[in-house]
Amino acid sequence: MDATGFRRLWDEIDPIGRADTGGYVRFSWSDADLALRAWFDAQAAERGMRVETDRNGNRFAWWDPEPEQVVDPAAPRRHGAVLTGSHFDSVPHGGAYDGPLGIVSAFLAVDELRRDLRATGATLKRPIAIAAFTEEEGGRFGIPCLGSRLMTGAVDADRARGLTDRDGTTLADAMRAAGADPDALGPDPERLQRIGAFVELHVEQGRALDGEGDAAVGVASAIWPHGRWRVVVTGAGDHAGTTRLPDRHDPMLTFAFAVLAARKEARLAGGLATIGRVEAVPNATNAIASQVTAWLDARAPDEGVLGEILSGFKSKVHERAARDGTHVRISRESETPVVEFDLELRDRIAALLGGAPVLPTGAGHDAGVLAAHVPTAMLFVRNPTGVSHAPGEHASDEDCAAGVDALAAVLRDLAC
Ligand code: HGY
Ligand code: MN
Ligand code: MN
Ligand code: MN
């Protein structure tokens, strides 16, 4: 794959959902998402691939072997489809590559593999499918990897239907408006059974590869345990200009303390904690807030450290609320235990790629959800600045082309 070929296909989706901040707003079931789904369908059609949208809104493009090559469908799982792909959705004003790079690279890797099969006469022995999982970021409805978690039964369909976005639109309403049926949401064991392996290519988030010699592509070893908690601080709304300081029960104070406490507990325990989203009621300049809601994102190299961060954070924030005369409720939104990727598959891929670096990540992925069900691996494409979930996210066309070559080699190794 050459960088020009990568850039040509990349430029087809690059404008979709780009905001004037230079970041991307590609929320699931939004117009941008529907445009990306239409692009996905067109790419699949161009390649004669069959498109299916599953009951949870995840899209799949299938490349089936010629009938005479189809192995016995009842054969052990290792003959199941080799799934690749990623997600289209973004965090608000996120980067261009997180998600879409895995889908664009998958279509280009299929092209490369097809050219290779024509040239060598080799044949496809297992189906190859490209997935576009929905709501991976949880950027609209709050639960990350929602589409893959629904498919695997890790999230309850009723809970999902009722999830709301910042405008109060439920997932069910958003799906109906897009012509999808929310009543169909639910586990999809039959589809899972058809998958024999999942390999997700993703832009690196962080910059470990930058120090790894000349490696444009790395292989994931694990995903750190991580989770999200909702922090609701309730106080007493009042007038900013007439309420004496000692008489205040200001939830903003408890919230401000919570932001600092998250950072301190993470530093002490050796992990990461972030409060990047907050909503105040009534959110008025001249009123003391009555309620402040914030979301904590915490991640750590192991469960013990994550637990330390959470227990330290909870006890310190509750203590502070007592001093402020406010009330705080901290509830878990989602939590992902450590994901160790399939060792055999990981080492096979690293060797196939000439000894590619193997590294853990603190970022969550659909691969982290599927890893509990099928042999799963991840490829990371070097991110020279490490920036992600922000407009500055970038990978060079040359490294992205190297990622396509690596993915094509992996698909050939697993499916032919
Ligand atoms: O939040 C994450 O870790 C991922 O990028 N969705
Ligand atoms: Mn992602
Ligand atoms: Mn992301
Ligand atoms: Mn007034």
Side-chain angles (χ1 to χ4, degrees):
M1 176 95 241
D2 60 27
T4 324
F6 169 80
R7 172 54 54 182
R8 190 177 314 114
L9 191 59
W10 185 254
D11 281 348
E12 286 188 16
I13 67 161
D14 198 45
I16 302 175
R18 186 168 53 208
D20 50 17
T21 55
Y24 287 79
V25 183
R26 291 166 166 167
F27 290 153
S28 50
W29 306 109
S30 67
D31 291 346
D33 187 31
L34 299 183
L36 289 162
R37 288 170 186 262
W39 176 86
F40 182 95
D41 295 352
Q43 291 304 312
E46 259 180 50
R47 293 164 177 81
M49 298 175 85
R50 193 166 38 84
V51 175
E52 291 176 351
T53 301
D54 74 6
R55 60 178 12 155
N56 297 304
N58 304 309
R59 221 138 176 121
F60 298 84
W62 288 85
W63 171 14
D64 295 311
E66 298 312 318
E68 64 276 9
Q69 263 109 37
V70 175
V71 290
D72 168 10
R77 175 186 291 288
R78 61 189 164 83
H79 290 294
V82 179
L83 180 68
T84 185
S86 189
H87 61 94
F88 277 132
D89 68 305
S90 71
V91 299
H93 302 282
Y97 293 81
D98 176 352
L101 181 63
I103 296 173
V104 170
S105 302
F107 280 116
L108 290 171
V110 161
D111 295 345
E112 195 159 314
L113 181 53
R114 278 201 168 135
R115 282 193 294 273
D116 177 273
L117 297 187
R118 274 196 297 273
T120 61
T123 55
L124 194 65
K125 298 280 187 309
R126 298 164 68 177
I128 286 178
I130 299 174
F133 285 106
T134 185
E135 187 70 359
E136 187 275 347
E137 295 291 359
R140 184 173 180 186
F141 294 105
I143 295 186
C145 302
L146 185 62
S148 54
R149 281 190 160 127
L150 280 163
M151 181 171 89
T152 58
V155 165
D156 172 72
D158 283 337
R159 179 185 176 203
R161 270 185 278 272
L163 293 173
T164 55
D165 67 10
R166 300 173 199 216
D167 304 328
T169 306
T170 63
L171 171 65
D173 292 343
M175 288 181 72
R176 278 192 203 96
D181 174 13
D183 296 331
L185 290 176
D188 202 341
E190 184 276 331
R191 181 171 306 276
L192 213 45
Q193 190 57 29
R194 288 160 59 193
I195 300 168
F198 178 42
V199 181
E200 179 172 3
L201 179 144
H202 202 282
V203 66
E204 181 191 14
Q205 295 165 303
R207 50 180 305 186
L209 282 177
D210 196 44
E212 287 282 343
D214 199 27
V217 178
V219 182
S221 55
I223 294 179
W224 280 15
H226 61 284
R228 302 181 178 194
W229 286 262
R230 183 189 294 245
V231 182
V232 181
V233 191
T234 308
D238 212 327
H239 197 299
T242 56
T243 313
R244 294 180 332 123
L245 295 183
D247 300 338
R248 293 183 179 206
H249 303 282
D250 185 352
M252 274 294 186
L253 275 186
T254 314
F255 157 69
F257 174 84
V259 173
L260 296 172
R263 172 77 175 232
K264 185 174 178 190
E265 295 305 318
R267 182 169 44 77
L268 292 174
L272 298 172
T274 313
I275 292 184
R277 180 184 170 193
V278 60
E279 290 171 3
V281 174
N283 207 25
T285 306
N286 57 352
I288 300 168
S290 56
Q291 187 172 79
V292 176
T293 302
W295 283 263
L296 171 74
D297 177 309
R299 314 195 186 201
D302 62 52
E303 319 283 355
V305 172
L306 186 62
E308 268 178 59
I309 295 173
L310 260 293
S311 59
F313 176 78
K314 287 177 181 172
S315 64
K316 297 285 188 314
V317 172
H318 278 289
E319 265 169 42
R320 178 70 202 212
R323 275 176 46 198
D324 295 339
T326 57
H327 173 268
V328 65
R329 186 166 36 83
I330 301 171
S331 55
R332 186 177 60 193
E333 297 259 289
S334 69
E335 192 168 359
T336 306
V338 63
V339 172
E340 301 283 353
F341 286 111
D342 183 284
L343 216 51
E344 187 194 335
L345 185 58
R346 180 196 89 180
D347 292 345
R348 179 182 176 132
I349 291 173
L352 183 72
L353 301 182
V358 177
L359 59 161
T361 179
H365 300 280
D366 292 306
V369 175
L370 264 73
H373 301 271
V374 298
T376 299
M378 287 196 78
L379 300 181
F380 292 134
V381 173
R382 177 168 49 192
N383 174 339
T385 64
V387 168
S388 183
H389 283 187
E393 183 183 73
H394 182 73
S396 71
D397 289 355
E398 291 71 20
D399 283 356
C400 293
V404 171
D405 291 342
L407 184 58
V410 171
L411 295 179
R412 190 192 202 293
D413 179 56
L414 296 178
C416 295

